[in-house]
Amino acid sequence: MRVLGIDPGYAIVGFGFIDKVGHKLTPVQYGAIQTEAHTPPEQRLLQVYESAGALMDKYKPDTVGVEKLFFNRNVTTAFDVAQARGAIILAAAQRGLPIGEYTPLQVKQAVVGYGKAEKKQVQEMVKMFLKLSAVPKPDDVADALAVAICHAHSVVLTQKTNEVNRS
């Protein structure tokens, strides 16, 4: 199963593709979609949408995990990120990809085992799980890989639960 994890953003969208075979997780490709600060908003959203779609077309994920938004301060930033997140979800939906959404707490719980883990702990666990030589940069990329790991584990559980419920 190929999983795409997304850490949505407006200036930087982290992405990470991993393959899950049995209990083994293998990184396929990861990086960031970046938009320029003084570009018109509609052009930035178009860039996020088209770039996300192109990545999905190239790496062909079976499913997509996206981090839910959590903002407690800057409402303007929250709106911008929410729009970019919507563009990414639209790109996945147009390709018929199932989407899982996770709060930062759920991602930390899945990757570290503790929902209030520090960012550094999450990054180190991503590095360990995927046997990477270094923590991916920028932070948004490591966060996207953490979402992919969380989603890879959750999808299997959801599938098993659905099988039991159908029986």
Side-chain angles (χ1 to χ4, degrees):
M1 170 178 45
R2 178 156 295 168
V3 178
L4 167 58
I6 296 283
D7 178 34
Y10 188 62
I12 301 173
V13 175
F15 69 86
F17 291 88
I18 63 171
D19 282 346
K20 181 174 181 4
V21 179
H23 294 292
K24 185 177 181 186
L25 301 175
T26 307
V28 174
Q29 182 63 278
Y30 50 89
I33 300 166
Q34 298 189 22
T35 65
E36 290 295 322
H38 299 291
T39 305
E42 65 277 10
Q43 291 301 312
R44 292 177 86 173
L45 291 173
L46 180 63
Q47 183 184 348
V48 167
Y49 169 78
E50 289 180 341
S51 297
L55 287 165
M56 290 174 204
D57 292 342
K58 182 174 182 178
Y59 294 102
K60 309 233 180 286
D62 298 302
T63 184
V64 180
V66 182
E67 187 170 85
K68 287 184 180 180
L69 297 182
F70 173 76
F71 280 91
N72 58 2
R73 283 185 233 122
N74 191 337
V75 174
T76 303
T77 301
F79 284 133
D80 291 341
V81 175
Q83 289 178 325
R85 187 175 179 278
I88 294 161
I89 290 172
L90 174 61
Q94 286 180 322
R95 287 157 178 79
L97 297 170
I99 300 163
E101 300 178 64
Y102 305 93
T103 65
L105 187 89
Q106 290 171 308
V107 173
K108 290 175 182 180
Q109 181 72 41
V111 175
V112 179
Y114 175 61
K116 295 187 179 181
E118 298 293 326
K119 188 176 267 298
K120 184 83 174 143
Q121 291 173 291
V122 175
Q123 293 171 343
E124 288 301 321
M125 290 303 289
V126 164
K127 178 182 161 191
M128 187 190 80
F129 272 128
L130 300 177
K131 298 177 178 54
L132 302 173
S133 58
V135 171
K137 296 289 180 201
D139 290 350
D140 311 78
V141 178
D143 292 346
L145 287 167
V147 172
I149 292 166
C150 174
H151 189 52
H153 294 308
S154 297
V155 165
V156 172
L157 181 61
T158 301
Q159 288 171 342
K160 289 182 190 243
T161 303
N162 289 342
E163 288 170 15
V164 169
N165 290 339
R166 280 190 291 250
S167 303

